[in-house]
Amino acid sequence: MAGKILLVDDDEDIIEMLRYNLEKEGYKIKSAPNGLEGLEQASEFGPDLILMDIMMPIMDGIEAGRQIKAHESLKNIHIIYLTARAEEFSEIAAFEAGADDYLTKPIKPRALVSRINAFFRKESRKNTDEAILSIGGLEINRNNYSVTKADGSEVVLPKKEFELLYHLAKKPNKVQSRSELLQKIWGADVYVVERTVDVHIRKVREKLGEDTIKTLKGLGYMFNNKD
């Protein structure tokens, strides 16, 4: 089944270029000229992936990303930002809003298509992994990206926060460096600052407790298995 991709950008030339190249690969494409219409299209179209600009009228891409991730029926949609903003603070804001990747313009169409094809292959492989982990007083369910605590309360994490927790929990009490986590969660071909890992770890701790993931100074992080 072809993947569904939503393009959100106020530049019609970029939209048409992306549409042409992605439809050739068999993807189903819809588009929107700003973040507000992107939200509406996300609800109606149900895309697997959104390629989104940041600087747009009416609603920018960062705010649109935040609202998508805050919406129960949309939170598992993947978001890749395509933007002319190359500053580190914009990149960090994008990942804090729930981005899966952050790419700066100008876009190289063939390289982008290859990256998207690889992205969908990676997601397909993830679906074959062990779906549920029971460890450290938590049940970590990859089917719905939820975590159930020992008291029965459920926590739903955004995609990257969940993947970090899941990856660390698969190797409990084993230290993993920031660079290793970046490669495993974001991919070797994605440039992301190491601080991004720290931001996501902090958010996981806020929801599951400070002692869920331990920091080993100068080395990295590990899941604290208390069983």
Side-chain angles (χ1 to χ4, degrees):
M1 182 178 178
K4 296 164 67 175
I5 301 176
L6 175 62
L7 311 175
V8 185
D9 200 306
D10 61 336
D11 188 323
E12 292 183 6
D13 291 336
I14 288 178
I15 290 287
E16 288 310 307
M17 179 271 289
L18 292 173
R19 182 189 299 275
Y20 172 76
N21 284 278
L22 292 169
E23 285 184 341
K24 281 202 307 181
E25 295 292 311
Y27 295 108
K28 296 178 181 179
I29 305 298
K30 294 284 186 181
S31 64
N34 58 67
L36 184 60
E37 290 189 37
L39 279 170
E40 295 171 358
Q41 283 282 4
S43 295
E44 295 173 8
F45 182 46
D48 303 296
L49 173 67
I50 299 175
L51 301 180
M52 185 153 57
D53 190 17
I54 289 181
M55 296 182 293
M56 295 182 290
I58 304 178
M59 180 185 290
D60 65 52
I62 298 296
E63 179 58 28
R66 289 195 189 102
Q67 293 198 29
I68 287 167
K69 293 301 180 180
H71 198 288
E72 184 65 26
S73 66
L74 305 178
K75 65 180 183 296
N76 290 327
I77 296 174
H78 303 286
I79 300 174
I80 295 177
Y81 284 100
L82 304 178
T83 177
R85 301 290 296 268
E87 312 92 343
E88 182 177 325
F89 70 84
S90 293
E91 183 176 349
I92 290 171
F95 282 110
E96 288 186 332
D100 291 88
D101 203 349
Y102 186 97
L103 307 176
T104 55
K105 298 175 181 177
I107 299 163
K108 297 178 180 178
R110 291 178 63 184
L112 177 63
V113 169
S114 294
R115 187 182 292 248
I116 290 171
N117 288 341
F119 174 84
F120 275 96
R121 287 195 300 271
K122 182 179 178 182
E123 288 303 306
S124 179
R125 287 195 297 271
K126 283 180 182 178
N127 292 334
T128 66
D129 286 351
E130 183 179 358
I132 300 175
L133 296 177
S134 295
I135 188 170
L138 300 173
E139 181 178 274
I140 304 170
N141 189 329
R142 202 168 193 172
N143 291 322
N144 58 7
Y145 293 90
S146 68
V147 180
T148 304
K149 299 180 181 180
D151 63 4
S153 60
E154 185 176 295
V155 179
V156 179
L157 302 177
K159 177 78 172 178
K160 292 303 183 187
E161 292 174 31
F162 181 90
E163 291 294 345
L164 271 172
L165 175 66
Y166 183 87
H167 183 73
L168 287 165
K170 284 178 70 176
K171 300 178 180 178
N173 299 327
K174 180 181 184 299
V175 181
Q176 300 185 59
S177 68
R178 289 178 177 84
S179 60
E180 181 181 355
L181 291 170
L182 283 172
Q183 182 170 346
K184 292 290 186 181
I185 308 303
W186 280 270
D189 57 347
V190 179
Y191 176 74
V192 184
V193 295
E194 290 195 347
R195 182 180 166 190
T196 301
V197 175
D198 302 337
V199 169
H200 284 72
I201 293 288
R202 172 173 53 80
K203 290 184 175 182
V204 171
R205 286 172 170 159
E206 287 173 356
K207 296 164 185 173
L208 298 178
E210 286 296 320
D211 61 344
T212 303
I213 298 173
K214 292 181 66 175
T215 302
L216 282 82
K217 194 170 183 180
L219 296 174
Y221 296 104
M222 75 175 190
F223 183 87
N224 185 20
N225 185 12
K226 295 165 282 188
D227 289 345

